[in-house]
Amino acid sequence: MEVATYSQTNPTIFGTGAVNLIGEKAKEFGIEKAMIVTDVGLVKVGVVARVQGLLKDAGIEVIVFDKVNPDPLDTMINEGGEIARNEKVNGVIGLGGGSVMDASKGITLLTTNAPPIS
């Protein structure tokens, strides 16, 4: 019998006012340059700009990848991973729902592993 373990150390922080902790939490994890992974809807309503501002106030450089669609394709994750590697981000922040969370995990894997994600 072969046994394996899979675990992740990245937290999911949520709840009323949780966004206000983003800079502090990112600093705790040693993030100096972050990629916010999100969708265009959250960009349009200003949520991404708010989070970007909170991170910058904490001294963290930020880039935004806003190409996440429902049920993200591997090609989109490969693109995000390539950008993250080229930009040398050391933290990925998923801002949105389930598709964004899935895409964020895939992009994070590609920051230290060779593509393709498939």
XYZ file of all heavy atoms in Angstrom:
853
model
N 0.844 -1.175 0.000
C 0.000 0.000 0.000
C 0.893 1.244 0.000
O 1.826 1.330 0.783
C -0.884 -0.009 1.242
C -1.787 1.195 1.329
S -3.099 1.015 2.547
C -2.273 1.566 4.011
N 0.590 2.189 -0.895
C 1.338 3.436 -0.961
C 0.529 4.534 -0.284
O -0.659 4.720 -0.570
C 1.608 3.820 -2.417
C 2.511 5.008 -2.542
C 2.881 5.297 -3.984
O 2.996 4.342 -4.769
O 3.030 6.477 -4.303
N 1.158 5.245 0.621
C 0.501 6.317 1.366
C 1.181 7.625 1.018
O 2.401 7.700 0.923
C 0.595 6.063 2.895
C -0.023 7.213 3.657
C -0.074 4.748 3.257
N 0.380 8.669 0.840
C 0.919 9.991 0.533
C 0.213 11.034 1.381
O -0.890 10.803 1.889
C 0.716 10.303 -0.946
N 0.876 12.139 1.544
C 0.300 13.258 2.295
C 0.411 14.515 1.444
O 1.435 14.739 0.794
C 1.065 13.476 3.618
O 0.973 12.291 4.385
C 0.483 14.647 4.390
N -0.624 15.301 1.455
C -0.619 16.594 0.778
C -1.107 17.619 1.774
O -2.147 17.429 2.405
C -1.534 16.574 -0.453
C -1.687 17.934 -1.087
C -0.697 18.445 -1.909
C -2.805 18.709 -0.850
C -0.820 19.697 -2.489
C -2.936 19.966 -1.427
C -1.942 20.454 -2.242
O -2.067 21.691 -2.806
N -0.353 18.678 1.937
C -0.810 19.751 2.824
C -0.337 21.080 2.285
O 0.655 21.152 1.556
C -0.287 19.530 4.247
O 1.120 19.550 4.254
N -1.050 22.118 2.638
C -0.704 23.472 2.224
C -0.594 24.330 3.470
O -1.339 24.156 4.427
C -1.786 24.045 1.311
C -1.849 23.368 -0.028
C -2.898 23.976 -0.914
O -3.835 23.309 -1.286
N -2.750 25.236 -1.240
N 0.313 25.268 3.418
C 0.496 26.148 4.568
C -0.094 27.532 4.351
O 0.052 28.392 5.195
C 1.994 26.295 4.903
O 2.665 26.824 3.752
C 2.594 24.971 5.291
N -0.742 27.736 3.235
C -1.306 29.054 2.973
C -2.682 29.185 3.628
O -3.552 28.352 3.427
C -1.369 29.359 1.478
C -2.057 28.278 0.689
O -2.036 27.129 1.055
N -2.681 28.658 -0.395
N -2.870 30.237 4.402
C -4.139 30.397 5.107
C -5.210 31.026 4.228
O -4.914 31.696 3.246
C -3.783 31.356 6.244
C -2.719 32.217 5.646
C -1.916 31.285 4.750
N -6.450 30.792 4.599
C -7.581 31.511 4.018
C -8.140 32.380 5.134
O -8.571 31.870 6.166
C -8.656 30.529 3.512
O -8.068 29.686 2.523
C -9.842 31.269 2.916
N -8.081 33.670 4.938
C -8.535 34.615 5.954
C -9.815 35.251 5.443
O -9.855 35.777 4.335
C -7.457 35.680 6.225
C -6.175 34.989 6.692
C -7.940 36.702 7.254
C -4.958 35.873 6.703
N -10.875 35.205 6.234
C -12.154 35.740 5.787
C -12.940 36.258 6.977
O -12.595 36.000 8.127
C -12.950 34.675 5.029
C -13.239 33.441 5.852
C -14.438 33.313 6.526
C -12.305 32.423 5.953
C -14.705 32.186 7.294
C -12.560 31.295 6.704
C -13.759 31.165 7.382
N -13.988 37.012 6.669
C -14.855 37.557 7.708
C -14.902 39.071 7.616
O -14.100 39.712 6.925
N -15.831 39.650 8.323
C -16.012 41.101 8.326
C -14.731 41.787 8.789
O -14.223 41.504 9.871
C -17.182 41.500 9.247
O -18.345 40.799 8.818
C -17.425 42.997 9.201
N -14.199 42.658 7.964
C -13.000 43.417 8.304
C -11.691 42.686 8.081
O -10.623 43.249 8.323
N -11.735 41.442 7.615
C -10.509 40.668 7.424
C -9.546 41.348 6.457
O -8.329 41.250 6.621
C -10.839 39.258 6.946
N -10.077 42.064 5.496
C -9.222 42.716 4.501
C -8.245 43.687 5.154
O -7.133 43.886 4.673
C -10.074 43.424 3.415
C -10.801 44.640 3.988
C -9.214 43.807 2.225
N -8.622 44.258 6.269
C -7.757 45.224 6.949
C -6.487 44.591 7.512
O -5.550 45.304 7.855
C -8.534 45.930 8.056
C -9.676 46.742 7.499
O -9.520 47.457 6.513
N -10.842 46.611 8.092
N -6.448 43.278 7.591
C -5.278 42.566 8.104
C -4.301 42.150 7.017
O -3.248 41.588 7.313
C -5.728 41.310 8.865
C -6.657 41.505 10.049
C -7.118 40.153 10.589
C -5.965 42.309 11.133
N -4.630 42.419 5.769
C -3.854 41.878 4.657
C -2.383 42.284 4.689
O -1.510 41.450 4.484
C -4.500 42.232 3.284
C -3.841 41.450 2.152
C -4.456 43.720 3.004
C -4.221 40.019 2.089
N -2.091 43.525 4.964
C -0.693 43.967 5.017
C 0.067 43.282 6.137
O 1.181 42.784 5.941
N -0.534 43.240 7.312
C 0.073 42.603 8.479
C 0.327 41.116 8.230
O 1.410 40.592 8.517
C -0.859 42.788 9.683
C -0.467 42.061 10.933
C -1.538 42.164 12.011
O -2.322 43.125 12.031
O -1.573 41.240 12.845
N -0.671 40.423 7.703
C -0.533 38.992 7.447
C 0.511 38.720 6.365
O 1.302 37.781 6.471
C -1.879 38.374 7.056
C -2.877 38.356 8.188
C -2.393 37.494 9.322
C -3.383 37.429 10.453
N -2.885 36.646 11.589
N 0.516 39.532 5.325
C 1.502 39.353 4.256
C 2.915 39.536 4.805
O 3.826 38.771 4.465
C 1.228 40.323 3.120
N 3.104 40.511 5.662
C 4.412 40.740 6.287
C 4.818 39.540 7.143
O 5.969 39.131 7.147
C 4.387 42.001 7.156
C 4.465 43.278 6.386
C 5.852 43.451 5.858
C 6.125 44.905 5.558
N 7.373 45.076 4.861
N 3.850 38.971 7.891
C 4.132 37.797 8.728
C 4.677 36.638 7.904
O 5.480 35.858 8.390
C 2.869 37.340 9.462
C 2.470 38.198 10.623
C 1.170 37.738 11.270
O 0.719 36.586 11.032
O 0.575 38.548 12.011
N 4.226 36.537 6.657
C 4.680 35.464 5.774
C 5.917 35.851 4.970
O 6.358 35.102 4.108
C 3.552 35.021 4.847
C 2.545 34.152 5.536
C 1.386 34.686 6.044
C 2.793 32.795 5.713
C 0.467 33.896 6.718
C 1.887 31.994 6.378
C 0.717 32.545 6.886
N 6.452 37.016 5.242
C 7.676 37.441 4.575
C 7.491 37.884 3.140
O 8.451 37.916 2.369
N 6.280 38.250 2.776
C 6.023 38.672 1.400
C 6.590 40.076 1.180
O 6.293 40.997 1.930
C 4.515 38.641 1.076
C 3.993 37.203 1.182
C 4.241 39.226 -0.312
C 2.482 37.073 1.030
N 7.393 40.191 0.155
C 7.952 41.483 -0.248
C 7.354 41.956 -1.562
O 7.238 43.147 -1.803
C 9.471 41.382 -0.359
C 10.134 41.072 0.974
C 11.618 40.792 0.850
O 12.113 40.609 -0.291
O 12.284 40.761 1.896
N 7.016 41.001 -2.424
C 6.369 41.311 -3.701
C 5.245 40.317 -3.900
O 5.482 39.113 -3.976
C 7.358 41.254 -4.860
C 6.753 41.711 -6.181
C 7.802 41.849 -7.261
C 7.204 42.441 -8.520
N 8.225 42.607 -9.571
N 4.033 40.823 -3.990
C 2.848 39.972 -4.077
C 2.187 40.091 -5.442
O 2.221 41.137 -6.075
C 1.839 40.358 -2.999
N 1.561 38.980 -5.846
C 0.673 38.997 -7.001
C -0.738 38.803 -6.469
O -1.019 37.817 -5.798
C 1.003 37.882 -7.991
C -0.048 37.762 -9.115
S 0.218 36.328 -10.195
C 1.224 37.097 -11.461
N -1.606 39.764 -6.750
C -3.026 39.598 -6.443
C -3.646 38.891 -7.638
O -3.564 39.373 -8.764
C -3.734 40.946 -6.201
C -3.173 41.632 -4.951
C -5.241 40.747 -6.073
C -3.728 43.037 -4.723
N -4.244 37.736 -7.392
C -4.937 36.983 -8.433
C -6.427 37.210 -8.217
O -6.944 36.985 -7.119
C -4.586 35.486 -8.355
C -5.387 34.685 -9.368
C -3.084 35.280 -8.570
N -7.109 37.676 -9.259
C -8.511 38.078 -9.111
C -9.217 38.046 -10.461
O -8.690 37.532 -11.438
C -8.570 39.482 -8.465
O -9.907 39.780 -8.080
C -8.024 40.563 -9.379
N -10.412 38.611 -10.494
C -11.160 38.733 -11.747
C -11.471 40.203 -12.011
O -11.343 41.047 -11.120
C -12.439 37.890 -11.712
C -13.358 38.270 -10.569
O -13.729 39.457 -10.441
O -13.722 37.364 -9.796
N -11.891 40.502 -13.235
C -12.132 41.900 -13.605
C -13.284 42.524 -12.823
O -13.306 43.729 -12.619
C -12.347 42.064 -15.124
C -11.088 41.759 -15.892
C -13.506 41.232 -15.622
N -14.229 41.713 -12.364
C -15.350 42.249 -11.596
C -14.886 42.946 -10.325
O -15.359 44.046 -10.001
N -13.971 42.337 -9.606
C -13.470 42.943 -8.368
C -12.569 44.140 -8.652
O -12.459 45.041 -7.817
C -12.756 41.911 -7.509
C -13.670 40.865 -6.861
C -12.860 39.881 -6.030
C -14.742 41.523 -6.009
N -11.953 44.160 -9.829
C -11.188 45.341 -10.228
C -12.156 46.499 -10.459
O -11.957 47.608 -9.948
C -10.347 45.075 -11.497
C -9.720 46.362 -12.016
C -9.283 44.023 -11.224
N -13.220 46.236 -11.203
C -14.189 47.287 -11.562
C -14.863 47.928 -10.356
O -15.138 49.115 -10.365
C -15.253 46.730 -12.510
C -14.739 46.475 -13.898
C -15.829 45.924 -14.809
C -15.280 45.611 -16.178
N -16.285 45.034 -17.063
N -15.136 47.140 -9.319
C -15.833 47.703 -8.151
C -14.880 48.288 -7.113
O -15.325 48.780 -6.075
C -16.789 46.681 -7.491
C -17.881 46.274 -8.456
C -16.044 45.471 -6.957
N -13.585 48.253 -7.377
C -12.618 48.915 -6.504
C -12.037 48.083 -5.378
O -11.218 48.575 -4.600
N -12.442 46.827 -5.278
C -11.929 45.977 -4.195
C -10.424 45.752 -4.358
O -9.667 45.806 -3.384
C -12.687 44.633 -4.141
C -12.045 43.670 -3.159
C -14.149 44.870 -3.795
N -9.981 45.497 -5.570
C -8.564 45.226 -5.814
C -7.721 46.458 -5.472
O -6.676 46.335 -4.833
C -8.327 44.767 -7.264
C -6.845 44.639 -7.570
C -9.039 43.437 -7.508
N -8.186 47.630 -5.855
C -7.444 48.861 -5.545
C -7.300 49.047 -4.035
O -6.246 49.474 -3.552
C -8.145 50.069 -6.163
N -8.341 48.705 -3.293
C -8.278 48.832 -1.829
C -7.217 47.889 -1.255
O -6.398 48.283 -0.425
C -9.631 48.536 -1.207
C -9.582 48.635 0.306
C -10.944 48.713 0.930
N -10.788 48.822 2.362
C -11.491 48.143 3.240
N -12.443 47.330 2.838
N -11.284 48.292 4.524
N -7.231 46.640 -1.687
C -6.258 45.665 -1.190
C -4.851 46.056 -1.628
O -3.898 45.973 -0.846
C -6.623 44.244 -1.653
C -5.517 43.255 -1.323
C -7.938 43.811 -1.019
N -4.727 46.508 -2.852
C -3.436 46.957 -3.358
C -2.893 48.080 -2.471
O -1.719 48.073 -2.099
C -3.623 47.476 -4.785
C -2.544 47.141 -5.722
C -2.891 47.544 -7.159
O -4.041 47.840 -7.512
N -1.889 47.540 -7.987
N -3.750 49.023 -2.117
C -3.347 50.134 -1.262
C -2.914 49.674 0.118
O -1.913 50.154 0.661
N -3.652 48.731 0.698
C -3.299 48.205 2.024
C -1.943 47.500 1.995
O -1.136 47.633 2.928
C -4.385 47.251 2.525
C -5.724 47.893 2.888
C -6.807 46.820 3.035
C -5.602 48.716 4.165
N -1.685 46.756 0.927
C -0.400 46.078 0.799
C 0.735 47.083 0.602
O 1.793 46.966 1.229
C -0.435 45.075 -0.353
C -1.301 43.836 -0.108
C -1.557 43.096 -1.417
C -0.656 42.915 0.917
N 0.509 48.069 -0.237
C 1.537 49.086 -0.473
C 1.824 49.871 0.800
O 2.978 50.199 1.085
C 1.117 50.012 -1.614
C 1.236 49.345 -2.968
C 0.857 50.275 -4.098
C 1.024 49.559 -5.437
N 0.699 50.421 -6.569
N 0.781 50.146 1.584
C 0.972 50.837 2.870
C 1.848 50.023 3.813
O 2.516 50.578 4.687
C -0.371 51.126 3.543
C -1.163 52.226 2.841
O -0.594 52.930 1.975
O -2.367 52.368 3.155
N 1.836 48.710 3.651
C 2.653 47.814 4.476
C 4.057 47.634 3.886
O 4.855 46.855 4.399
C 1.963 46.456 4.623
N 4.344 48.335 2.775
C 5.660 48.259 2.165
C 5.846 47.091 1.225
O 6.978 46.688 0.936
N 4.751 46.554 0.728
C 4.807 45.395 -0.161
C 4.544 45.832 -1.596
O 3.558 46.515 -1.869
C 3.784 44.325 0.284
C 4.148 43.839 1.697
C 3.715 43.176 -0.707
C 3.088 43.030 2.363
N 5.417 45.439 -2.491
C 5.232 45.707 -3.913
C 4.138 44.782 -4.426
O 4.050 43.624 -4.005
C 6.545 45.460 -4.651
C 6.550 45.935 -6.080
C 7.902 45.734 -6.759
O 8.913 45.482 -6.063
O 7.924 45.799 -7.999
N 3.304 45.280 -5.351
C 2.135 44.508 -5.785
C 1.988 44.535 -7.298
O 2.127 45.587 -7.924
C 0.837 45.072 -5.164
C -0.364 44.240 -5.564
C 0.946 45.175 -3.656
N 1.684 43.365 -7.872
C 1.223 43.290 -9.254
C -0.134 42.595 -9.230
O -0.455 41.879 -8.280
C 2.214 42.561 -10.187
C 2.386 41.104 -9.789
C 3.550 43.275 -10.225
C 3.138 40.286 -10.839
N -0.929 42.842 -10.254
C -2.288 42.288 -10.315
C -2.428 41.415 -11.557
O -2.050 41.814 -12.658
C -3.344 43.414 -10.343
C -4.742 42.848 -10.511
C -3.249 44.256 -9.075
N -2.977 40.232 -11.345
C -3.337 39.333 -12.445
C -4.848 39.150 -12.359
O -5.355 38.484 -11.460
C -2.612 37.986 -12.303
C -2.894 37.030 -13.430
C -2.306 37.197 -14.665
C -3.758 35.961 -13.243
C -2.559 36.319 -15.705
C -4.023 35.070 -14.280
C -3.427 35.256 -15.514
N -5.586 39.782 -13.285
C -7.055 39.821 -13.208
C -7.747 39.052 -14.331
O -8.851 39.380 -14.735
C -7.547 41.265 -13.179
C -7.207 42.043 -14.438
O -6.587 41.473 -15.371
O -7.558 43.233 -14.496
N -7.114 37.993 -14.804
C -7.649 37.247 -15.948
C -8.391 35.973 -15.557
O -8.617 35.112 -16.398
C -6.517 36.907 -16.911
C -5.870 38.134 -17.513
C -4.816 37.763 -18.508
C -4.206 39.020 -19.116
N -3.216 38.664 -20.130
N -8.784 35.849 -14.290
C -9.452 34.625 -13.855
C -10.915 34.638 -14.286
O -11.640 35.602 -14.031
C -9.351 34.431 -12.331
C -10.065 33.151 -11.905
C -7.896 34.394 -11.896
N -11.334 33.566 -14.952
C -12.721 33.346 -15.356
C -13.262 32.155 -14.573
O -12.485 31.385 -14.005
C -12.799 33.048 -16.860
C -12.430 34.249 -17.689
O -12.855 35.358 -17.432
N -11.598 34.028 -18.698
N -14.575 31.968 -14.577
C -15.112 30.761 -13.931
C -14.481 29.505 -14.536
O -14.238 29.442 -15.741
C -16.608 30.829 -14.237
C -16.879 32.298 -14.408
C -15.643 32.849 -15.072
N -14.220 28.529 -13.700
C -13.578 27.277 -14.118
C -12.321 27.564 -14.932
O -12.243 27.275 -16.127
C -14.560 26.410 -14.921
C -15.793 26.074 -14.123
O -15.655 25.750 -12.923
O -16.911 26.146 -14.680
N -11.309 28.123 -14.288
C -10.113 28.574 -15.010
C -9.410 27.452 -15.771
O -9.281 26.336 -15.283
C -9.216 29.130 -13.903
C -9.736 28.579 -12.637
C -11.183 28.293 -12.848
N -8.977 27.803 -16.962
C -8.262 26.860 -17.820
C -6.792 26.783 -17.430
O -6.233 27.738 -16.873
C -8.381 27.286 -19.282
C -9.789 27.334 -19.869
C -9.753 27.908 -21.281
C -10.397 25.934 -19.865
N -6.165 25.672 -17.770
C -4.744 25.508 -17.482
C -3.903 26.567 -18.188
O -2.888 27.010 -17.647
C -4.279 24.109 -17.847
C -4.466 23.759 -19.313
O -5.238 24.433 -20.018
O -3.836 22.772 -19.749
N -4.327 27.019 -19.351
C -3.563 28.033 -20.083
C -3.508 29.346 -19.314
O -2.484 30.029 -19.317
C -4.156 28.259 -21.489
O -5.556 28.552 -21.365
C -3.970 27.037 -22.368
N -4.611 29.705 -18.644
C -4.641 30.920 -17.845
C -3.728 30.772 -16.635
O -3.002 31.691 -16.267
C -6.082 31.227 -17.416
C -6.258 32.533 -16.639
S -5.976 32.402 -14.857
C -6.966 31.023 -14.419
N -3.728 29.605 -16.010
C -2.866 29.371 -14.855
C -1.399 29.388 -15.287
O -0.554 29.968 -14.605
C -3.251 28.060 -14.143
C -4.650 28.243 -13.520
C -2.218 27.667 -13.100
C -5.280 27.020 -12.944
N -1.093 28.799 -16.434
C 0.275 28.845 -16.954
C 0.711 30.284 -17.196
O 1.847 30.653 -16.887
C 0.396 28.031 -18.235
C 0.288 26.544 -17.993
O 0.585 26.052 -16.917
N -0.155 25.819 -19.002
N -0.174 31.097 -17.757
C 0.146 32.504 -18.010
C 0.421 33.235 -16.700
O 1.406 33.968 -16.575
C -1.007 33.188 -18.758
C -0.748 34.651 -19.040
C -1.936 35.348 -19.713
O -2.931 34.685 -20.066
O -1.854 36.583 -19.867
N -0.454 33.057 -15.718
C -0.250 33.696 -14.417
C 1.033 33.235 -13.753
O 1.766 34.040 -13.163
N 1.329 31.943 -13.848
C 2.558 31.416 -13.274
C 3.797 31.994 -13.926
O 4.778 32.315 -13.252
N 3.749 32.148 -15.245
C 4.883 32.739 -15.966
C 5.116 34.179 -15.525
O 6.256 34.589 -15.284
C 4.642 32.679 -17.474
C 5.792 33.237 -18.284
C 5.573 33.146 -19.781
O 4.566 32.567 -20.226
O 6.419 33.673 -20.508
N 4.034 34.931 -15.408
C 4.161 36.321 -14.957
C 4.721 36.361 -13.536
O 5.619 37.154 -13.235
C 2.803 37.047 -15.045
C 2.396 37.205 -16.507
C 2.861 38.412 -14.345
C 0.949 37.639 -16.717
N 4.204 35.517 -12.667
C 4.674 35.488 -11.275
C 6.166 35.174 -11.205
O 6.912 35.803 -10.452
C 3.865 34.475 -10.466
N 6.612 34.195 -11.983
C 8.040 33.845 -12.010
C 8.880 34.995 -12.552
O 9.905 35.348 -11.971
C 8.285 32.596 -12.862
C 8.127 31.302 -12.126
C 8.617 30.113 -12.943
N 8.240 30.135 -14.350
C 7.039 29.825 -14.827
N 6.075 29.471 -13.994
N 6.786 29.874 -16.115
N 8.449 35.557 -13.687
C 9.202 36.648 -14.308
C 9.282 37.874 -13.406
O 10.295 38.575 -13.395
C 8.589 37.036 -15.657
C 8.811 35.968 -16.715
O 9.687 35.112 -16.586
N 8.001 35.999 -17.760
N 8.216 38.117 -12.667
C 8.173 39.277 -11.760
C 8.822 38.975 -10.414
O 8.937 39.846 -9.569
C 6.722 39.717 -11.547
C 6.078 40.339 -12.761
C 6.585 41.738 -13.042
O 7.032 42.432 -12.101
O 6.532 42.151 -14.212
N 9.184 37.715 -10.195
C 9.824 37.272 -8.957
C 8.981 37.590 -7.717
O 9.485 38.070 -6.708
C 11.227 37.867 -8.838
C 12.163 37.377 -9.947
C 13.528 37.990 -9.841
C 14.522 37.499 -10.849
N 14.135 37.231 -12.178
N 7.690 37.276 -7.814
C 6.829 37.456 -6.643
C 7.149 36.354 -5.634
O 7.535 35.250 -6.001
C 5.315 37.446 -6.999
C 4.977 38.527 -7.990
C 4.862 36.097 -7.510
N 7.006 36.681 -4.365
C 7.219 35.654 -3.343
C 5.966 35.458 -2.497
O 6.027 34.917 -1.397
C 8.443 35.961 -2.475
C 8.237 37.115 -1.532
O 7.491 38.040 -1.817
N 8.903 37.073 -0.396
N 4.835 35.891 -3.049
C 3.555 35.661 -2.395
C 2.417 35.867 -3.377
O 2.444 36.799 -4.181
N 1.440 34.973 -3.337
C 0.265 35.069 -4.202
C -0.947 35.228 -3.307
O -1.141 34.461 -2.367
C 0.113 33.818 -5.099
C -1.171 33.873 -5.909
C 1.327 33.679 -6.020
N -1.756 36.247 -3.605
C -2.945 36.531 -2.809
C -4.166 36.381 -3.700
O -4.334 37.124 -4.665
C -2.876 37.955 -2.212
C -1.680 38.041 -1.259
C -4.185 38.311 -1.515
C -1.337 39.430 -0.801
N -4.993 35.389 -3.404
C -6.228 35.169 -4.147
C -7.316 36.058 -3.577
O -7.582 36.015 -2.382
N -7.922 36.863 -4.433
C -8.957 37.793 -4.003
C -10.213 37.537 -4.831
O -10.312 37.973 -5.967
C -8.459 39.234 -4.185
C -9.316 40.351 -3.649
C -9.537 40.207 -2.153
C -8.664 41.695 -3.948
N -11.125 36.761 -4.265
C -12.342 36.418 -4.979
C -12.903 35.097 -4.505
O -12.603 34.636 -3.407
N -13.679 34.480 -5.363
C -14.373 33.244 -5.021
C -13.592 31.992 -5.368
O -12.364 32.016 -5.490
N -14.312 30.897 -5.551
C -13.714 29.593 -5.744
C -12.784 29.490 -6.933
O -11.710 28.882 -6.830
N -13.164 30.058 -8.071
C -12.303 29.988 -9.249
C -11.004 30.746 -9.012
O -9.928 30.294 -9.421
C -13.026 30.541 -10.480
O -14.085 29.681 -10.847
N -11.103 31.878 -8.354
C -9.901 32.655 -8.034
C -9.018 31.878 -7.058
O -7.792 31.847 -7.212
C -10.281 34.042 -7.457
C -9.078 34.723 -6.830
C -10.885 34.921 -8.535
N -9.626 31.238 -6.074
C -8.838 30.455 -5.113
C -8.124 29.296 -5.821
O -6.940 29.048 -5.575
C -9.714 29.911 -3.989
C -10.330 30.959 -3.082
S -9.108 31.958 -2.216
C -9.349 33.532 -3.011
N -8.829 28.616 -6.714
C -8.219 27.519 -7.466
C -7.071 28.031 -8.335
O -5.991 27.441 -8.381
C -9.250 26.812 -8.342
C -10.270 26.025 -7.532
O -10.011 25.762 -6.339
O -11.325 25.681 -8.090
N -7.308 29.118 -9.049
C -6.276 29.694 -9.910
C -5.070 30.135 -9.090
O -3.922 29.919 -9.486
C -6.839 30.865 -10.706
N -5.317 30.722 -7.932
C -4.230 31.192 -7.070
C -3.341 30.042 -6.631
O -2.109 30.160 -6.614
C -4.792 31.891 -5.827
O -5.523 33.024 -6.192
N -3.955 28.925 -6.278
C -3.176 27.751 -5.859
C -2.319 27.234 -7.017
O -1.148 26.897 -6.835
C -4.099 26.661 -5.327
C -4.712 27.029 -3.976
C -5.581 25.926 -3.432
C -6.989 26.072 -3.943
N -7.940 25.119 -3.339
N -2.904 27.174 -8.207
C -2.142 26.717 -9.369
C -1.005 27.653 -9.711
O 0.123 27.206 -9.986
N -1.261 28.943 -9.681
C -0.221 29.937 -9.977
C 0.886 29.851 -8.935
O 2.071 29.918 -9.263
C -0.837 31.348 -10.076
C -1.677 31.442 -11.355
C 0.242 32.429 -10.037
C -2.554 32.679 -11.452
N 0.511 29.674 -7.685
C 1.514 29.539 -6.629
C 2.422 28.339 -6.891
O 3.646 28.435 -6.735
C 0.834 29.402 -5.250
O 0.066 30.584 -4.992
C 1.858 29.220 -4.147
N 1.848 27.224 -7.295
C 2.661 26.044 -7.609
C 3.672 26.332 -8.710
O 4.796 25.839 -8.681
C 1.765 24.878 -8.026
C 0.977 24.216 -6.908
C -0.031 23.234 -7.486
C 1.914 23.511 -5.942
N 3.275 27.160 -9.667
C 4.158 27.455 -10.797
C 5.226 28.495 -10.478
O 6.111 28.737 -11.301
C 3.340 27.887 -12.014
C 2.494 26.782 -12.641
C 1.682 27.325 -13.803
C 3.354 25.608 -13.078
N 5.168 29.110 -9.298
C 6.246 30.040 -8.944
C 7.537 29.292 -8.631
O 8.619 29.851 -8.733
C 5.866 30.949 -7.751
O 5.638 30.148 -6.585
C 4.653 31.809 -8.058
N 7.410 28.012 -8.249
C 8.606 27.240 -7.888
C 8.702 25.902 -8.626
O 9.610 25.128 -8.353
C 8.627 26.963 -6.372
O 7.415 26.303 -6.006
C 8.776 28.256 -5.587
N 7.768 25.628 -9.514
C 7.781 24.384 -10.295
C 7.645 24.716 -11.779
O 6.954 25.663 -12.146
C 6.627 23.476 -9.867
C 6.794 22.989 -8.450
O 7.551 22.070 -8.198
N 6.102 23.624 -7.521
N 8.259 23.893 -12.590
C 8.220 24.119 -14.032
C 6.827 23.897 -14.591
O 6.142 22.958 -14.189
C 9.204 23.196 -14.723
N 6.403 24.780 -15.508
C 5.119 24.566 -16.182
C 5.255 23.409 -17.169
O 6.365 22.974 -17.463
C 4.892 25.894 -16.899
C 6.242 26.489 -17.084
C 7.100 25.970 -15.959
N 4.161 22.923 -17.694
C 2.797 23.408 -17.534
C 2.121 22.813 -16.286
O 2.568 21.792 -15.771
C 2.097 22.920 -18.799
C 2.790 21.635 -19.113
C 4.233 21.860 -18.718
N 1.068 23.455 -15.842
C 0.341 22.997 -14.673
C -0.320 21.639 -14.928
O -0.467 20.833 -14.016
C -0.705 24.038 -14.196
C -1.224 23.712 -12.777
C -1.858 24.160 -15.174
C -0.228 23.868 -11.693
N -0.672 21.370 -16.192
C -1.319 20.096 -16.521
C -0.347 18.945 -16.417
O -0.714 17.811 -16.339
C -1.923 20.150 -17.912
O -0.937 20.442 -18.873
